[in-house]
Amino acid sequence: MNTSQINQRIDELEFKLQFQEDTIDSLNQALISQQKDMLLMREKLVLLGNQLESYRQQQPIHDGDRPPHY
């Protein structure tokens, strides 16, 4: 292999390495964004669950009553 071919292969490897670094950075940013979204959704789900439980506790319980859809 001559010097020109070696330099060409090095250039190709550097290009591939830069592309991989850009891809990894892009995927990392997407993962960070998704993690933030999941944390926000988890907080909202907990709040919704608390609201539902509060609503259920406020409703009177009648053993013999039929639900309204009957």
Side-chain angles (χ1 to χ4, degrees), residues 36-64:
K36 288 178 183 178
D37 290 345
M38 285 179 57
L39 289 173
L40 182 60
M41 285 189 283
R42 183 176 293 147
E43 289 174 8
K44 288 182 178 184
L45 182 60
V46 167
L47 288 174
L48 186 59
N50 291 341
Q51 288 176 351
L52 179 60
E53 185 61 31
S54 175
Y55 175 76
R56 285 181 178 165
Q57 290 175 358
Q58 293 174 1
Q59 297 302 311
I61 299 175
H62 301 288
D63 290 334

Side-chain angles (χ1 to χ4, degrees), residues 6-20:
I6 292 174
N7 285 338
Q8 182 179 0
R9 290 193 65 189
I10 290 173
D11 288 343
E12 288 174 7
L13 289 172
E14 287 176 344
F15 177 76
K16 288 179 181 181
L17 177 63
Q18 183 61 43
F19 179 75
Q20 288 177 349

Side-chain angles (χ1 to χ4, degrees), residues 21-33:
E21 288 176 349
D22 290 343
T23 301
I24 290 170
D25 185 52
S26 176
L27 291 171
N28 188 43
Q29 292 302 319
L31 185 60
I32 289 169
S33 177

